[in-house]
Amino acid sequence: MARFFTEREIRAVAVFLPLAGLLVAAVALFRPKSDPLEARRVEVAMERRMPADSIRLRPFDPNTADFDELLRLGLSKHEAVSLLKYRAAGKVFRIPEDLSLCYGISDSLYRRLAPWVRIGRRYAIAPREYRSGRVLPQLLAPSPFRIDTVSACYLRAIGALSKRQAEAFIRWRDLSGIYDMEELRDCYVVSDSVAAALEPYVIFPERRPHPVDAPVELNSADSAELRRVVGIGEKTVMRILRYRDRLGGFVSVAQLAEVPGVTESNYEKILKQICLDSCKIRKIDINFASPKELGRHPYMAPRTLRRLLKARQLKGGWSTAQELIDDHILTREEAARLAPYIEFGSAGGTADEKTTTRRDDAPEDAYPAEFQLETE
């Protein structure tokens, strides 16, 4: 029968096995016994933090902070060593939030350190311009401030605008000036929500009126002339012009209150700078005007318009405002508001011969005194 091992190999195995057994026995006998109390003491020492009165939170760079600096920030030895090992493994903190990814940093510790993290220029994600620090970690509570002197830093500190927005806002303000909320909202970097949040705190400077020789005539002024009136902003100018066109002209300055954007405080300023010429009012011929022209007038309600057109088709027309009341087309209040804006064309003749009659040519009882509106 063939032999698998030579005598020499058998002798070698016979010598090796006893020696290996002796080595295993020696290791088992001389291995130090574990001490649970000592292990716990070491663990407590690693978790021990600096005394509370020695902790001093201040800006630090997690990419360069050493062991002692981390301890002074309130980290335990275990947490500090974990962060250093994290860096030694080739990890880099590019943004402050990267600190939360370090396996030794708990969420509560990260929230406490986050406001003080400053990423150095070497590692920070800043492709064009290096910023020495982050935006203030805690927003300031807003307080009343003058819009003409506020700085970009303060607007950033209260969380109203970002750095670029604040700088753009300051350039806009210095170029054109801001004197009311409407002009504040006109700035392209200020959203409606930001403007609403700032409104309780903004103090506007007094606009210095341009010297004028005479008040602005409200019914003939163009947008440039109206813009000169203190209290009328750019958007309000367009609203006044659109409303004036629909109305046919103002017969009283009180009608300005019907224009969106004219507040009570602005109204008091405007009164001192305008005048009215009611002769420039554009009138509507109640007997011959088209439904579209009649319905465009802000004082002509849809229901009133339907009654008027139906009655006009049957009757042919009217000669006085009192007839409209008697026919239950208009109430006395509606007639009082519409009286300055309507005229009564002749009901006779052909369509080519129909001409409108000016208010001066109308009978004396065409507009009873009770329907006249006071003009200023």
Side-chain angles (χ1 to χ4, degrees):
M1 181 176 178
R3 301 178 64 182
F4 292 98
F5 300 100
T6 63
E7 293 183 359
R8 184 177 180 180
E9 291 173 340
I10 294 173
R11 287 196 297 271
V13 171
V15 173
F16 173 75
L17 288 177
L19 291 177
L22 291 175
L23 180 62
V24 171
V27 171
L29 291 174
F30 292 101
R31 185 178 62 181
K33 297 181 179 179
S34 60
D35 187 352
L37 294 179
E38 183 64 24
R40 180 58 184 165
R41 282 196 294 270
V42 173
E43 184 178 352
V44 170
M46 291 294 289
E47 293 180 352
R48 185 174 301 159
R49 303 175 187 273
M50 295 285 288
D53 55 355
S54 301
I55 296 176
R56 184 182 177 186
L57 290 175
R58 61 181 182 178
F60 74 99
D61 187 348
N63 291 302
T64 58
D66 57 18
F67 182 75
D68 292 334
E69 184 178 358
L70 294 174
L71 293 181
R72 287 194 294 270
L73 290 169
L75 276 71
S76 68
K77 293 181 179 179
H78 176 74
E79 292 165 342
V81 170
S82 296
L83 191 148
L84 295 176
K85 286 182 177 179
Y86 188 80
R87 281 184 358 209
K91 305 295 184 180
V92 175
F93 300 96
R94 300 288 185 185
I95 58 176
E97 289 73 11
D98 284 342
L99 185 61
S100 64
L101 302 177
C102 182
Y103 49 82
I105 305 298
S106 63
D107 291 342
S108 59
L109 179 60
Y110 165 72
R111 285 192 292 270
R112 182 161 58 87
L113 296 177
W116 304 96
V117 176
R118 304 291 186 272
I119 306 300
R121 182 174 185 177
R122 178 179 177 183
Y123 301 104
I125 301 176
R128 291 190 177 181
E129 181 181 357
Y130 169 65
R131 294 180 291 179
S132 57
R134 300 172 59 199
V135 177
L136 292 178
Q138 186 173 2
L139 299 180
L140 298 178
S143 58
F145 61 91
R146 288 183 60 90
I147 198 68
D148 57 331
T149 58
V150 67
S151 65
C153 182
Y154 180 77
L155 293 175
R156 294 176 59 202
I158 64 176
L161 301 172
S162 67
K163 180 180 179 181
R164 289 186 178 181
Q165 290 173 334
E167 292 172 350
F169 176 82
I170 296 301
R171 290 194 297 269
W172 174 286
R173 179 199 67 189
D174 294 342
L175 182 63
S176 58
I178 298 177
Y179 298 94
D180 52 41
M181 283 304 302
E182 185 174 332
E183 293 182 351
L184 179 62
R185 290 188 175 91
D186 286 342
C187 182
Y188 61 95
V189 297
V190 178
S191 64
D192 290 340
S193 59
V194 170
L198 291 178
E199 187 170 5
Y201 307 100
V202 177
I203 301 174
F204 294 102
E206 286 290 333
R207 190 197 301 269
R208 296 181 180 179
H210 298 283
V212 293
D213 298 331
V216 175
E217 203 288 302
L218 192 58
N219 282 331
S220 60
D222 57 17
S223 59
E225 291 176 309
L226 289 174
R227 193 65 181 85
R228 293 168 51 201
V229 176
V230 177
I232 298 181
E234 183 177 352
K235 291 183 179 179
T236 307
V237 166
M238 302 311 298
R239 291 168 182 162
I240 290 175
L241 292 177
R242 286 195 294 267
Y243 193 73
R244 185 181 72 184
D245 181 58
R246 291 183 58 204
L247 197 61
F250 295 96
V251 295
S252 170
V253 292
Q255 291 174 288
L256 276 178
E258 301 169 8
V259 179
V262 177
T263 63
E264 185 176 350
S265 58
N266 287 347
Y267 178 72
E268 296 298 329
K269 297 177 184 178
I270 294 170
L271 284 183
K272 304 174 184 178
Q273 306 169 68
I274 62 173
C275 62
L276 281 176
D277 183 359
S278 57
C279 293
K280 297 182 179 180
I281 294 173
R282 185 180 70 255
K283 298 188 179 185
I284 302 174
D285 190 332
I286 202 74
N287 291 327
F288 301 109
S290 66
K292 183 177 180 180
E293 184 179 1
L294 289 169
R296 188 168 177 267
H297 199 280
Y299 293 167
M300 183 67 71
R303 175 181 289 182
T304 302
L305 177 61
R306 288 194 295 269
R307 287 200 305 263
L308 187 147
L309 294 175
K310 185 176 181 180
R312 189 175 72 176
Q313 186 176 9
L314 297 174
K315 185 174 181 177
W318 301 268
S319 58
T320 65
Q322 184 62 44
E323 291 182 23
L324 291 169
I325 297 175
D326 295 340
D327 291 344
H328 304 290
I329 306 300
L330 300 176
T331 63
R332 289 189 175 274
E333 293 76 14
E334 291 174 334
R337 297 180 75 190
L338 276 171
Y341 299 103
I342 59 176
E343 58 186 3
F344 301 89
S346 173
T350 63
D352 295 335
E353 295 171 345
K354 290 175 182 177
T355 57
T356 58
T357 306
R358 301 296 299 174
R359 183 179 180 183
D360 296 339
D361 300 332
E364 293 183 358
D365 61 344
Y367 299 104
E370 57 191 312
F371 299 141
Q372 304 302 316
L373 295 177
E374 293 183 1
T375 60
E376 298 186 22

